[in-house]
Amino acid sequence: MEKREFTEKTSVEDILGSFVSSYAERDRSVEFSQWLGYRLRREIPDMSEETCKELADEIIGAVADYDRRRRELDAAIDDGQSKEEWFAGYLAKKCEDMPLDVAGERLQQIEDDLIISNMQLIQKIDEGQAEVVEVSGADDDPVEWNEYSVKNKAYEIGNQIILTGIAAAANVLKEKEQRDEAVDISGIVVETFRDGLKNDSGEVKAVVAGAVRAAAEKGMADIVSQDTPTAVITDMAGVAVESAEALFDVVNGESTMTDAMDRMGRASVAAGCRYASDVLEGKLAKVPYVGPILVDLAGGLLEHMKAPKFTENVYNTVRDAAVATWEGVKKSRVGKAVRNLGKFVKKIFG
C-alpha cells in the first residue's frame, strides 16, 4: 500500500521522493513499464488507465532516444571532436532545409533563452555576475546569416548548454551544504535505488521523468508547463540522473572533479539537442528554463543516494568552473543577445 496520497505532496521533490520510494519497493514480478503506468495512474487520477500506459511507453522510448544520442556524442568525442563541435554540427544539420534568416532568428532566440536561464543560476552562486549582461558590447547592426554564422551560433549555444549543467550542479551543492538536516529515507530504499542506478539507469531516468510529468500535469512544476513535450522532460531527467551520479562518484572517491564535470557537460549536450531542435523546428515556443528543475531533481536524487556531506572545496571547484565558463561565454559572444538583454535582466533581478 502507498503510504502517502498525491494530495499530501506539495513540490516536485515530494513527488520525486514518492516515485523513487515506490520504485525501490515495487513488486519485481511486475514488468517495469506496467509498474510505471500504474504509478502514473496513482499520481494523475484524472488520466485514464490507457493514457497512463501510453505515457509510460512514451517515457521509456524517450529515455532510449536520449541514451542513443549520448552514445553518439561519446563516440564523436572518442574520435577527437569536442562536445561543442558535435552539438554545433547536430544543430546546423537541422538548419539545412530552413531559410538562413529564419534559422538565424530562431538560433538567436534559443541563445537568448539560455542566457536568461543561466544568469539566474550564476547569480545564485555569485551575486557579482548579476549585472554584467547589461553592458552594451557592440553596435546593433543586424547579423548577416550564412552557413558560417549559423554554425558559429550553434557552437555558442552548445557553450551555454554545457554551462547550464555545471551551474545547476553548483547550485545543488550549495543547497546541500546549506540544508540543516538530511531527509529521512529508509536504508532499504537507498540501497535498492543505488542498485537500480548501477543495473539499469534507464529505468531510473524514466522514474524521474514520470515524477516531473506528474508534477506538470498537476500544475505543481511552475518551470515545466503542462504542454512541455514528454521527450523534453525525459531529457531533463537524463541530465539530472547523470549529474547526481557524477557528483556521488566524486564524493566517494570514484571519480575526479574534472571527469564529473565532463560527464555533466556531455549529459547536458545530449539533452540540449532535443529542446534546441524543437525550438528550431517550431515545436516549442521557447527553451524551457531547465536549470531550476535540474537543481531540484539532482538534489533530490542525491538525498536518495545518501551521498556523504560534500566538502566546501568540492562546491568551490564546481562554482568556480561555472563562473569561469560564464565569463568565457561572455568574452567570446557575438551577435545581439548580450547587447539587448538589459531589459530582461531588469525584469528578472530588478
Side-chain angles (χ1 to χ4, degrees):
M1 295 292 291
E2 298 289 342
K3 295 180 180 179
R4 298 195 300 174
E5 294 299 324
F6 179 87
T7 53
E8 295 178 0
K9 307 181 190 80
T10 59
S11 70
V12 175
E13 285 184 288
D14 283 342
I15 295 182
L16 176 63
S18 177
F19 264 76
V20 169
S21 295
S22 179
Y23 169 71
E25 298 167 347
R26 74 192 189 283
D27 181 353
R28 299 307 176 91
S29 67
V30 177
E31 186 182 3
F32 175 74
S33 62
Q34 290 182 299
W35 170 84
L36 183 58
Y38 165 77
R39 185 67 224 173
L40 289 166
R41 175 71 170 148
R42 286 297 302 267
E43 294 291 348
I44 318 172
D46 293 339
M47 191 174 284
S48 70
E49 182 176 347
E50 181 62 26
T51 301
C52 286
K53 180 182 182 302
E54 291 173 356
L55 178 56
D57 290 341
E58 183 183 4
I59 289 172
I60 292 170
V63 168
D65 191 38
Y66 167 85
D67 286 341
R68 176 187 56 76
R69 267 178 279 124
R70 183 70 165 78
R71 290 191 298 271
E72 290 175 357
L73 171 59
D74 288 345
I77 291 173
D78 288 343
D79 286 341
Q81 271 192 304
S82 69
K83 295 184 286 290
E84 297 89 343
E85 288 169 340
W86 181 83
F87 177 84
Y90 183 98
L91 209 57
K93 191 172 182 61
K94 297 284 184 179
C95 299
E96 287 179 349
D97 297 327
M98 299 176 64
L100 285 172
D101 59 336
V102 174
E105 181 180 346
R106 291 183 180 175
L107 287 170
Q108 191 66 68
Q109 179 195 340
I110 292 168
E111 188 178 35
D112 288 355
D113 291 343
L114 286 166
I115 288 171
I116 294 169
S117 180
N118 285 339
M119 274 196 298
Q120 295 178 70
L121 291 172
I122 292 293
Q123 193 269 341
K124 288 180 179 179
I125 58 173
D126 188 337
E127 294 182 3
Q129 296 291 329
E131 302 296 328
V132 293
V133 183
E134 291 190 77
V135 178
S136 178
D139 58 53
D140 290 326
D141 291 338
V143 175
E144 293 295 331
W145 293 101
N146 53 43
E147 291 184 6
Y148 172 79
S149 57
V150 164
K151 189 74 174 283
N152 186 61
K153 184 56 62 180
Y155 188 95
E156 292 175 350
I157 290 170
N159 281 330
Q160 289 286 348
I161 285 172
I162 291 170
L163 171 58
T164 297
I166 297 174
N171 276 270
V172 168
L173 296 175
K174 181 178 181 180
E175 290 188 5
K176 187 169 175 61
E177 284 298 304
Q178 292 176 339
R179 189 168 290 174
D180 291 331
E181 52 187 47
V183 178
D184 185 18
I185 300 171
S186 76
I188 294 176
V189 169
V190 171
E191 183 178 350
T192 306
F193 181 61
R194 286 183 183 175
D195 288 343
L197 280 170
K198 291 179 181 179
N199 298 325
D200 195 337
S201 65
E203 285 189 357
V204 176
K205 292 167 189 169
V207 170
V208 176
V212 179
R213 178 80 272 170
E217 289 292 329
K218 286 296 184 180
M220 297 175 66
D222 294 338
I223 46 184
V224 179
S225 63
Q226 190 172 359
D227 60 357
T228 302
T230 297
V232 172
I233 286 176
T234 302
D235 280 12
M236 294 182 197
V239 180
V241 170
E242 293 198 45
S243 296
E245 285 185 290
L247 291 172
F248 185 79
D249 287 347
V250 166
V251 80
N252 282 285
E254 297 176 7
S255 174
T256 66
M257 212 49 250
T258 300
D259 288 341
M261 286 190 284
D262 178 55
R263 286 164 62 186
M264 290 185 283
R266 294 187 189 203
S268 297
V269 165
C273 287
R274 168 92 67 184
Y275 56 74
S277 296
D278 282 357
V279 174
L280 191 63
E281 296 170 353
K283 298 176 183 177
L284 275 177
K286 62 180 297 183
V287 175
Y289 287 171
V290 299
I293 195 69
L294 289 180
V295 174
D296 288 345
L297 294 177
L301 290 171
L302 279 171
E303 293 291 352
H304 281 83
M305 295 162 74
K306 283 294 185 184
K309 189 176 179 64
F310 285 82
T311 64
E312 184 177 350
N313 189 48
V314 171
Y315 165 65
N316 288 340
T317 300
V318 180
R319 181 200 62 199
D320 291 349
V323 173
T325 303
W326 174 250
E327 290 284 359
V329 166
K330 287 187 301 175
K331 291 177 182 178
S332 66
R333 286 184 47 76
V334 294
K336 65 182 180 181
V338 163
R339 302 198 295 272
N340 293 338
L341 276 176
K343 58 184 178 182
F344 293 111
V345 176
K346 291 176 182 176
K347 183 183 296 185
I348 294 169
F349 299 111

